[in-house]
Amino acid sequence: MPERRTVALVTLGCARNEVDSEELAGRLAADGWDLVEDASDAEVAVVNTCGFVEAAKKDSVDALLEANDLKDHGTTKAVVAVGCMAERYGKELAEALPEADGVLGFDDYTDISDRLNTIVSGGVHAPHVPRDRRRLLPVSPVERQEAQVAVPGHGDESEPSDLPQGVAPASGPRAPLRRRLGSSPVASVKLASGCDRRCSFCAIPSFRGSFLSRRPSDVLNETRWLASQGVREVMLVSENNTSYGKDLGDIRLLETLLQELSHVDGIERLRVSYLQPAEMRPGLIDVLTGTEKVAPYFDLSFQHSAPGVLRAMRRFGDTDSFLGLLETIRVKAPQAGVRSNFIVGFPGETEEDVAELERFLAAARLDAVGVFGYSDEEGTEAVGYERKNAPEVVAERLSRVSRLAEELTAQRAEERVGERLRVLVESFDGDEGPVGRAAHQAPETDGVVMLDGFGSPESGGHELAVGRMVEARVVAAEGVDLVAEPIEEGEGAEGAAGMPQVTREEAPG
């Protein structure tokens, strides 16, 4: 029997990268590799890089260099770059960063085990020359499903059938393998890959490719498998979830799929991320605000609200139309969570445009806001724009709008004092006790709920298990984070239908 080798996956970037890492983990485990958590304990450290903005690329390079330092301590023999930056730059990255023993693109994922064996044995795998992946799929969306193109998260025709424990079984000829990295009760499921939009500031479609939906049966089967692994909340991710189904002949397919997913045993909450405001449909809003287990959560990619800036970005909308969309949502679900990202300092942006954005933010009552200063991204249309704002102007606007966003999101959290929430317990934070998230809070980005009154596992009190969903009343806000207490017996029955009350006396010990 050949000697088993060890590998660690280090993941940077978004939830889509996390899913890709778990696919790579599944493929490697199926081929006999032992996965370890700490890169210092592994023969091969695989760094799943991010290639979106300059800061993320710097973090990826730093992670590769840090992993390379481990080679001086005995166990680690090779460091390999995968992910978006590796795909985007390929040979160029390999030449600029010789510390990486291999740079693998998306086409290498199906043969990841062979690639790593070659590299760790001292061989060389020639890095790819980057290409525009939008050209790999047919222009017509309805012709894409049968194309033989390697797309992370979409599987291939050669999945093994004899899989080790903990690796997701193939649910169809195009379903990916997957192994969980960690034991969180929350996991993401890839709904689609790529993007057909042509935002002038964004390079993602060039290295992630054109939009391609996964089949509903594969999404359902992967969700069922995750539930069997202890997952209680699933977040559906892609570059643009509102386009789901257009290449399968039904642009309303997400509405149908969400209702099917809501019946998966063991799943307590479904969350949809990455929604385009211009593509929001009344039927989708109805499903997101009125379906049991589906969080009324709207991750809307506004980017700005001044119409001139949005047109230069190749986007649509304005302050009043965006506020109208939010009003429509909140009429149906007053407690709905809304987050968004914004770019300030875009070429041609004026002080009047910034004031318009500030007007929108002041009226929008967003729960979470990300603000980014514009910087040129090679290969994008905006690189060639005139009327660039000076770096110091961009920095000043970034600081100003970020401060405003911080103040407004803290005010929005204060508005939630008194609300009744369903909270998924995710961890125990030392003396603070249980920490979890409510429906309006996505993982990593939107704040948390600190549950007061249950105690920590060490306290001997009425602690809760990770993965438990409870009801609690918000009693305070700390920035965007909330403090909540268990619902007392006899309190009003308002809240999510079918959710039993959990009192201090009833909490599991």
Side-chain angles (χ1 to χ4, degrees):
M1 176 179 291
E3 181 183 357
R4 295 176 69 89
R5 284 176 157 163
T6 55
V7 60
L9 288 116
V10 179
T11 306
L12 294 92
C14 64
R16 301 184 295 273
N17 258 16
E18 293 172 5
V19 176
D20 290 348
S21 285
E22 293 197 348
E23 178 190 350
L24 293 174
R27 291 182 180 279
L28 291 166
D31 209 36
W33 288 74
D34 288 330
L35 286 99
V36 297
E37 290 186 18
D38 195 330
S40 63
D41 296 328
E43 291 177 86
V44 185
V46 177
V47 180
N48 192 348
T49 61
C50 179
F52 180 36
V53 294
E54 204 60 41
K57 288 182 278 189
K58 182 182 182 303
D59 289 343
S60 296
V61 170
D62 289 345
L64 288 164
L65 293 174
E66 183 178 342
N68 181 69
D69 290 341
L70 299 175
K71 291 191 288 187
D72 296 330
H73 303 290
T75 302
T76 307
K77 298 178 181 177
V79 175
V80 176
V82 299
C84 290
M85 190 168 74
E87 172 61 38
R88 184 177 182 183
Y89 296 105
K91 184 179 179 181
E92 180 183 344
L93 176 63
E95 293 173 348
L97 196 70
E99 291 84 356
D101 299 285
V103 174
L104 305 181
F106 296 151
D107 291 336
D108 293 310
Y109 281 21
T110 54
D111 299 310
I112 186 67
S113 180
D114 289 342
R115 300 288 187 266
L116 296 191
N117 273 317
T118 296
I119 293 167
V120 78
S121 299
V124 175
H125 175 70
H128 66 283
V129 176
R131 54 183 171 171
D132 188 336
R133 294 189 73 85
R134 290 171 292 193
R135 299 176 182 175
L136 301 182
L137 289 169
V139 173
S140 173
V142 296
E143 297 176 3
R144 293 174 186 168
Q145 286 292 322
E146 303 307 318
Q148 300 300 307
V149 175
V151 180
H154 289 244
D156 58 52
E157 305 290 346
S158 58
E159 308 293 13
S161 57
D162 186 18
L163 301 174
Q165 186 175 6
V167 176
S171 57
R174 296 289 297 232
L177 303 180
R178 182 169 182 174
R179 174 169 172 168
R180 298 217 65 206
L181 298 172
S183 57
S184 169
V186 183
S188 296
V189 171
K190 190 171 286 190
L191 193 62
S193 292
C195 186
D196 287 343
R197 301 182 71 88
R198 294 297 179 263
C199 300
S200 62
F201 56 84
C202 183
I204 289 176
S206 66
F207 55 85
R208 276 290 184 179
S210 296
F211 186 86
L212 184 68
S213 301
R214 291 184 66 199
R215 294 190 178 278
S217 58
D218 287 343
V219 176
L220 274 164
N221 285 331
E222 188 169 341
T223 299
R224 294 186 184 110
W225 177 80
L226 287 168
S228 75
Q229 300 295 302
V231 169
R232 295 297 169 256
E233 177 178 325
V234 162
M235 184 164 70
L236 299 176
V237 299
S238 75
E239 280 73 19
N240 178 11
N241 281 331
T242 35
S243 283
Y244 180 71
K246 73 174 188 178
D247 52 328
L248 294 171
D250 185 0
I251 193 61
R252 296 176 296 278
L253 196 55
L254 179 56
E255 289 93 302
T256 304
L257 178 58
L258 283 169
Q259 295 177 68
E260 294 184 65
L261 289 169
S262 70
H263 293 103
V264 173
D265 290 340
I267 298 300
E268 295 283 347
R269 179 184 290 154
L270 295 161
R271 185 182 304 277
V272 183
S273 62
Y274 306 114
L275 302 169
Q276 290 292 339
E279 297 181 30
M280 291 300 296
R281 306 175 291 277
L284 179 55
I285 294 174
D286 288 343
V287 170
L288 288 172
T289 57
T291 305
E292 186 179 8
K293 296 186 181 180
V294 176
Y297 177 80
F298 294 80
D299 179 8
L300 293 163
S301 179
F302 289 124
Q303 301 299 344
H304 213 283
S305 73
V309 176
L310 287 167
R311 301 307 173 269
M313 290 179 169
R314 303 294 184 201
R315 298 179 65 82
F316 305 94
D318 54 42
T319 295
D320 293 335
S321 65
F322 290 163
L323 291 176
L325 172 60
L326 295 177
E327 177 65 18
T328 298
I329 291 168
R330 286 170 174 148
V331 165
K332 297 177 181 295
Q335 293 185 344
V338 186
R339 73 155 287 119
S340 192
N341 294 320
F342 299 89
I343 298 172
V344 295
F346 195 78
E349 181 193 62
T350 65
E351 280 297 326
E352 289 75 17
D353 294 326
V354 179
E356 184 68 1
L357 174 58
E358 291 171 333
R359 180 173 80 89
F360 171 70
L361 290 171
R365 298 170 55 233
L366 303 179
D367 292 278
V369 174
V371 185
F372 301 89
Y374 173 81
S375 61
D376 283 339
E377 271 297 306
E378 57 191 289
T380 64
E381 181 183 355
V383 169
Y385 283 2
E386 299 178 352
R387 299 174 61 206
K388 297 280 181 67
N389 283 291
E392 58 270 22
V393 172
V394 175
E396 187 278 328
R397 292 176 182 175
L398 174 61
S399 177
R400 185 204 327 170
V401 177
S402 295
R403 285 196 306 271
L404 175 63
E406 185 175 351
E407 293 170 2
L408 292 170
T409 52
Q411 290 174 16
R412 177 66 182 126
E414 287 283 354
E415 291 178 15
R416 292 192 178 274
V417 173
E419 283 187 2
R420 185 171 182 159
L421 306 176
R422 298 187 76 211
V423 181
L424 176 65
V425 180
E426 294 189 24
S427 65
F428 293 88
D429 183 13
D431 296 333
E432 297 296 327
V435 177
R437 287 177 303 98
H440 71 279
Q441 297 167 318
E444 306 294 336
T445 59
D446 298 351
V448 298
V449 178
M450 295 170 282
L451 289 166
D452 187 21
F454 286 107
S456 67
E458 295 80 16
S459 71
H462 297 294
E463 69 269 14
L464 295 176
V466 169
R468 177 79 182 271
M469 188 79 79
V470 299
E471 280 201 43
R473 181 85 61 189
V474 181
V475 296
E478 298 179 2
V480 296
D481 296 331
L482 302 176
V483 179
E485 295 180 346
I487 297 293
E488 295 285 1
E489 189 173 2
E491 280 198 48
E494 77 278 5
M499 180 65 207
Q501 293 183 0
V502 178
T503 68
R504 289 185 176 88
E505 290 71 28
E506 295 170 340

